[in-house]
């Protein structure tokens, strides 16, 4: 992986720190459907800037999810005219969402860890090997001697923990562990944060998981597991799309499963397919054949038709990847 | 917490390393119902000793669980007469189990992180602040310049990840993170290990969780969640006690729950109660009132009678701890 795709506007972490020090009146943009790394890097940067006596706000086209209440509860937007626009954890202006789309051409600095960053900002600090935008931000702060207080530490820990699945996933870096150890030195309530991020579920979420498990089918010598959720089922149970978020990880929990598929009916006859793989199959390639794409271990596509047809279509592309020549035999 | 409860036979990590270097023909004992820290520290030590040209075997009264196949698959017991007996991650000779009980009086060295260690061994290296026995072992190896190869690194990572819930729980130390970063430097397949430890479930386990969720009831302003599993239900579903292991964490997943209770009917009319708390209530105290005990956040007790009576009894002790004076009002 190359560290910096967009060489034109790349700056070093130290240069980014100096940029933050020199400027004021910051609008910090985070992406739609914000996750822990978006919220963590957004509010972490905002807090660090305010600690330096600067004016800064965090802006998002979507509301901040309840899950991050412990970060957001004390936040009050300040009144000022923006002079500096910074994005964190955003690879593409498409992710600004409706309300923030107006800022697309005015981003002064982007702090990111997505190798796919389109280079939309005037200056970019991009580390494609970092596990989280919060990891990049931590290094900007430390290299530039920008103080990190407990509140900022809570934010940065949240981003790193979220994006690494609490240090479980392949993207976890040694650096992520060392930064976690540093942040823990500030006496952050990391166990409570992890409980909030990884354990606590709403009752409807638990119901959704139960329904999902009931729908689970396995194919191809049990190497492929499929969960499908129809519009009808959603209506029957009163579940929302939000309840179903992240449900794509469930098929992967079953012993022996190499490819996990989640088929969600978005509107009658229109399906969104999420695909995950354990360690061998390239699901980005498989989804590519179905008109979609993504990463090697997590990808997706959209298909139309009847559910049974959709399943068959999906299986017909997965089968050869699992070494089945004459499948369903 | 004091580091060393049993001052009489306490030795330093460096002394332990020298002891390992000086001796040979090791029997390494691990506890019954072995978890990742038992298996990791047992096989980690065994591998390190064999790398030093010594003879060593790992002994356990129970079979090694399949989950740790990636550690155990290459292991072959050696033939030799034991001269040195070492225990890892064992606090009490009660945990030797039937087959190993014969060694109770002949333990030369105990490596442990349980503050409750009874001091059964001739020499003990005890660090009650360590997250895992594997953390103590890692420091014995590094302080004593005992080489850690990739195979040993896999073992040590397994123990630390297991006991910290992959760096999620309150017992996670900064040291645990730093050691993880060091071990990752040996190119261990940590993501695959974590998938094996924390994600993959058997189908019967998934069924068991589903049934458990179906049985879930909440009380006391939804601050207390109870799951109960009767003998009848076990028979109906064909679930085993093994399928139910670890199920005590499920009530704690629900938003707002402070005390989670799991009631398992072991034989008709005889119940084993597991209690967990989120961050306020001392469940060790509560279980103490019911004739049991344990830790502040995880404890247990046994009760007899009808299920409804047992629930009532449990709730009557939990209610005041949650601030309910006239409860069920």
């Amino acid at each position: 992986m190359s560290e910096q795709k967009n060489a034109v506007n790349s700056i070093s972490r130290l240069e980014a720190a100096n940029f933050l020090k020199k400027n004021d009146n910051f609008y910090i943009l985070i992406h739609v459907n914000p996750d822990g790394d978006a919220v963590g890097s957004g509010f972490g940067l905002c807090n660090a800037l305010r600690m330096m006596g600067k004016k800064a706000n965090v802006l998002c086209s979507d509301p901040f999810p309840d899950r991050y209440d412990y970060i957001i509860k004390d936040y009050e937007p300040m009144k000022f005219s923006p002079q500096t626009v910074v994005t964190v954890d955003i690879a593409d202006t498409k992710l600004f969402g409706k309300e923030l789309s107006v800022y697309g051409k005015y981003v002064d600095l982007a702090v990111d860890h997505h190798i796919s960053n389109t280079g939309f900002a005037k200056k970019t600090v991009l580390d494609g090997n970092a596990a989280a935008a919060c990891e990049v931000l931590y290094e900007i702060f430390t290299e530039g001697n920008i103080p990190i207080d407990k509140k900022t530490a809570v934010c940065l820990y949240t981003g790193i923990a979220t994006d690494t699945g609490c240090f479980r996933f392949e993207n976890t870096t040694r650096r992520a562990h060392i930064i976690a150890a540093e942040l823990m030195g500030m006496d952050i309530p990391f166990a409570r944060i992890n409980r909030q991020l990884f354990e606590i579920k709403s009752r409807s979420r638990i119901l959704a998981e139960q329904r999902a498990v009931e729908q689970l089918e396995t194919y191809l010598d049990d190497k492929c597991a499929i969960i499908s959720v129809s519009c009808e089922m959603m209506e029957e149970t009163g579940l929302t799309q939000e309840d179903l978020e992240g449900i794509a990880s469930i098929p992967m929990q079953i012993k022996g499963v190499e490819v996990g598929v989640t088929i969600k009916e978005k509107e009658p006859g229109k399906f969104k397919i999420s695909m995950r793989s354990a360690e061998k199959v390239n699901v980005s390639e498989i989804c590519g054949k179905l008109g979609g794409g993504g990463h090697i271990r997590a990808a997706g596509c959209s298909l139309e038709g009847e559910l049974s047809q959709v399943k068959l279509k999906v299986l017909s592309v997965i089968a050869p990847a699992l070494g089945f020549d004459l499948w369903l035999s």
Side-chain angles (χ1 to χ4, degrees), chain A:
Chain A
M1 273 190 280
S2 75
E3 286 246 331
Q4 284 147 343
K5 195 183 173 187
N6 311 292
V8 195
N9 50 16
S10 269
I11 60 168
S12 71
R13 293 184 274 250
L14 186 58
E15 285 168 327
N18 289 332
F19 174 88
L20 295 174
K21 285 177 186 171
K22 264 185 232 146
N23 289 282
D24 202 348
N25 298 334
F26 289 86
Y27 270 11
I28 302 161
L29 316 186
I30 69 174
H31 62 71
V32 288
N33 198 7
D35 59 7
D37 195 27
V39 171
S41 54
F43 286 90
L45 176 56
C46 182
N47 189 58
L49 291 169
R50 288 187 179 184
M51 291 256 300
M52 290 159 80
K54 295 176 187 292
K55 294 198 177 86
N57 282 340
V58 181
L59 282 79
C60 185
S61 287
D62 286 333
F64 304 121
D66 287 350
R67 188 171 287 275
Y68 310 109
D69 265 359
Y70 62 94
I71 286 177
I72 297 149
K73 64 178 195 301
D74 301 327
Y75 172 75
E76 290 286 348
M78 300 169 89
K79 279 189 185 154
F80 60 87
S81 297
Q83 285 172 348
T84 320
V85 179
V86 181
T87 64
V88 284
D89 196 38
I90 297 185
D92 193 315
T93 53
K94 281 180 200 162
L95 298 165
F96 283 26
K98 214 170 177 181
E99 283 192 51
L100 301 188
S101 61
V102 63
Y103 298 107
K105 287 180 186 158
Y106 306 102
V107 180
D108 298 294
L109 174 68
V111 177
D112 196 13
H113 71 120
H114 295 97
I115 199 69
S116 57
N117 188 293
T118 62
F120 57 83
K122 288 173 203 151
K123 299 167 198 286
T124 304
V125 191
L126 176 63
D127 181 354
N129 293 318
C134 280
E135 190 177 322
V136 186
L137 205 53
Y138 175 87
E139 298 196 323
I140 290 173
F141 292 164
T142 47
E143 286 189 27
N145 283 317
I146 294 174
I148 297 173
D149 71 343
K150 186 171 169 175
K151 217 164 150 181
T152 304
V154 163
C155 293
L156 298 179
Y157 183 92
T158 296
I160 293 172
T162 299
D163 271 18
T164 59
C166 211
F167 310 96
R168 266 190 306 146
F169 303 152
E170 221 160 336
N171 67 343
T172 308
T173 56
R174 300 176 65 190
R175 198 77 197 109
H177 275 291
I178 290 164
I179 295 172
E182 292 294 326
L183 297 173
M184 280 166 67
M186 312 209 59
D187 202 29
I188 57 172
F190 64 92
R192 212 190 307 160
I193 294 171
N194 290 329
R195 195 170 129 69
Q196 183 75 8
L197 294 178
F198 303 108
E199 279 173 45
I200 294 173
K201 301 173 187 181
S202 65
R203 275 168 158 273
S204 56
R205 169 72 201 195
I206 287 176
L207 177 69
E209 288 189 2
Q210 191 184 322
R211 295 289 161 160
V213 168
E214 281 168 11
Q215 302 291 327
L216 191 137
E217 300 166 327
T218 58
Y219 296 91
L220 303 166
D221 276 356
D222 295 339
K223 289 197 178 76
C224 174
I226 299 186
I227 281 176
S228 46
V229 184
S230 65
C231 287
E232 205 186 328
M233 184 190 129
M234 301 280 290
E235 255 176 59
E236 253 179 54
T237 54
L239 293 175
T240 63
Q241 291 295 340
E242 204 193 320
D243 292 328
L244 297 181
E245 227 164 80
I247 224 158
S249 67
I250 292 178
M252 294 310 297
Q253 291 175 358
I254 297 169
K255 208 172 168 172
V257 166
E258 170 60 25
V259 179
V261 183
T262 313
I263 303 178
K264 289 185 220 170
E265 194 174 17
K266 288 287 177 180
E267 49 184 293
K270 295 193 175 180
F271 299 89
K272 204 182 162 318
I273 286 94
S274 301
M275 220 175 276
R276 301 276 181 276
S277 72
E279 42 191 82
K280 290 180 207 111
V281 172
N282 182 341
V283 288
S284 165
E285 228 171 64
I286 293 178
C287 287
K289 287 179 189 165
L290 298 167
H295 305 279
I296 294 176
R297 300 273 167 266
C301 61
S302 297
L303 291 172
E304 299 191 9
E306 274 183 50
L307 179 57
S308 58
Q309 293 170 339
V310 166
K311 274 190 208 170
L312 208 65
K313 200 161 188 178
V314 166
L315 283 168
S316 71
V317 196
I318 293 171
L322 286 172
F324 289 80
D325 288 333
L326 290 169
W327 65 288
L328 296 183
S329 63

